[in-house]
């Protein structure tokens, strides 16, 4: 069964550090993740590599007995070490703040357990379930279930945008259906940022439209239309955003025509 992303910290040293930081899940829900400064070396031997991208690695395992994810950002060797460290910490903090802000806006996200600035790692809940992309490819949902899920996608994006938060990487791979309660969970806020600009929100929607079109063939357009209608009904700022979205879409089509 697939999961959002994963990481685990086991063993005496990791457990002791987590205890000092107070990083159990219940505290993370109430007050946000702990922030600690430990060794600058990440102990990858304790984890299983889940995936790797341009910005970092995702590890999976267990943290204090719970299924968990560790998202580790890379050092960029082409940058000056001091600049690289500053940018890495800044982006780490932005991702954590975005996840916490999304939760406050009513959007389900993974629970944060621990933030380790020294190793540029975020420890978080492993979401047990399947991505929307997987569910659509496997035709795992009936028509009624699918329609309800697409409506939830639109509503959740509206909550983010009305709250001044742009996800930055809205794809069906970054939307999980949690098995325990069938709740939609948004993941991977690594490219997120704060913005009230309708242009930024329009680009966010355009990224999702392209994701539906590229990953889900002919059915993708109809599914995205349902997402967009739910967004329009849920957002208080839909007019300016959808006007800009139409402009962004037009620019994108012109670029495709030019090649």
């Amino acid at each position: 069964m697939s999961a959002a992303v994963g990481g685990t910290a086991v063993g005496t040293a990791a457990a002791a550090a987590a205890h000092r930081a107070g990083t159990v899940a219940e505290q993370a829900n109430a007050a946000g993740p702990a922030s600690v400064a430990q060794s600058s070396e990440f102990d990858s031997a304790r984890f299983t590599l889940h995936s790797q991208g341009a910005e970092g690695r995702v590890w999976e395992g267990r943290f204090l007995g719970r299924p968990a994810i560790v998202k580790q950002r890379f050092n960029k060797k082409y940058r000056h070490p001091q600049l690289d460290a500053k940018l890495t910490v800044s982006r780490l903090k932005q991702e954590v703040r975005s996840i916490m802000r999304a939760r406050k806006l009513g959007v389900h996200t993974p629970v944060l357990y621990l933030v380790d600035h020294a190793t540029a790692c975020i420890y978080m809940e492993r979401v047990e379930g399947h991505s929307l992309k997987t569910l659509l490819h496997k035709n795992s949902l009936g028509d009624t279930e699918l329609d309800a899920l697409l409506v939830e996608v639109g509503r959740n994006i509206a909550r983010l945008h009305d709250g001044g938060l742009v996800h930055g990487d809205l794809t069906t791979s970054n939307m999980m259906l949690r098995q325990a309660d069938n709740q939609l969970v948004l993941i991977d806020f690594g490219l997120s940022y704060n913005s009230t600009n309708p242009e930024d929100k329009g680009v966010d929607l355009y990224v999702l439209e392209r994701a539906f079109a590229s990953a889900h063939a002919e059915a993708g357009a109809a599914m995205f239309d349902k997402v967009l209608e739910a967004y329009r009904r849920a957002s208080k700022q839909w007019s300016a955003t959808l006007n800009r979205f139409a402009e962004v879409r037009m620019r994108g089509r012109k670029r495709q025509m030019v090649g």
Side-chain angles (χ1 to χ4, degrees):
M1 183 165 297
S2 65
V5 269
T8 179
V10 296
T12 304
H19 177 72
R20 290 194 301 271
T23 55
V24 295
E26 290 80 3
Q27 290 171 322
N29 269 316
S35 178
V36 300
Q38 302 177 22
S39 169
S40 60
E41 294 297 325
F42 175 70
D43 188 2
S44 59
R46 298 173 182 266
F47 306 88
T48 301
L49 184 64
H50 179 279
S51 60
Q52 179 171 320
E55 292 295 320
R57 298 184 183 93
V58 173
W59 305 84
E60 62 183 350
R62 299 187 71 80
F63 183 79
L64 294 182
R66 301 170 184 270
I69 293 298
V70 179
K71 187 172 182 180
Q72 176 196 27
R73 283 190 173 270
F74 290 136
N75 292 326
K76 296 298 194 308
K77 302 299 183 183
Y78 59 83
R79 288 197 297 234
H80 187 280
Q82 290 182 338
L83 175 62
D84 180 66
K86 183 176 181 180
L87 290 175
T88 298
V89 169
S90 175
R91 290 173 181 173
L92 192 77
K93 289 180 178 179
Q94 177 60 44
E95 181 169 2
V96 170
R97 288 168 180 158
S98 293
I99 292 173
M100 295 178 67
R101 185 173 182 179
R103 291 178 70 84
K104 290 180 180 179
L105 293 171
V107 176
H108 291 277
T109 63
V111 175
L112 298 175
Y113 296 153
L114 173 70
V115 180
D116 187 348
H117 292 167
T119 59
C121 289
I122 304 174
Y123 295 70
M124 67 187 82
E125 169 196 10
R126 175 188 171 109
V127 180
E128 300 291 350
H130 293 292
S131 69
L132 178 55
K133 181 177 182 179
T134 298
L135 292 171
L136 294 178
H137 282 173
K138 291 184 176 181
N139 293 318
S140 302
L141 302 171
D143 291 343
T144 301
E145 291 177 299
L146 177 58
D147 287 348
L149 186 54
L150 294 174
V151 168
E152 274 305 297
V153 171
R155 288 174 177 171
N156 276 272
I157 299 172
R159 292 185 186 111
L160 292 182
H161 287 179
D162 283 10
L165 183 61
V166 173
H167 185 279
D169 192 17
L170 283 176
T171 68
T172 51
S173 296
N174 288 334
M175 300 174 184
M176 301 287 298
L177 187 63
R178 188 160 53 203
Q179 183 181 16
D181 55 9
N182 283 329
Q183 290 286 350
L184 180 71
V185 182
L186 297 191
I187 65 171
D188 197 354
F189 284 75
L191 297 177
S192 63
Y193 58 96
N194 300 327
S195 177
T196 58
N197 189 339
E199 173 84 8
D200 294 334
K201 300 174 187 178
V203 171
D204 221 20
L205 291 173
Y206 182 68
V207 169
L208 182 59
E209 181 183 40
R210 299 309 305 156
F212 269 105
S214 62
H216 307 292
E218 295 82 4
M223 287 188 287
F224 179 74
D225 285 345
K226 292 178 180 178
V227 170
L228 207 60
E229 176 60 21
Y231 179 95
R232 186 187 68 78
R233 291 178 179 273
S235 174
K236 297 177 182 178
Q237 304 163 13
W238 65 270
S239 181
T241 300
L242 294 189
N243 285 339
R244 285 304 180 93
F245 165 67
E247 295 175 12
V248 171
R249 175 193 268 171
M250 185 63 67
R251 294 200 300 266
R253 289 174 175 172
K254 286 181 178 177
R255 283 195 296 269
Q256 289 180 331
M257 292 175 63
V258 173

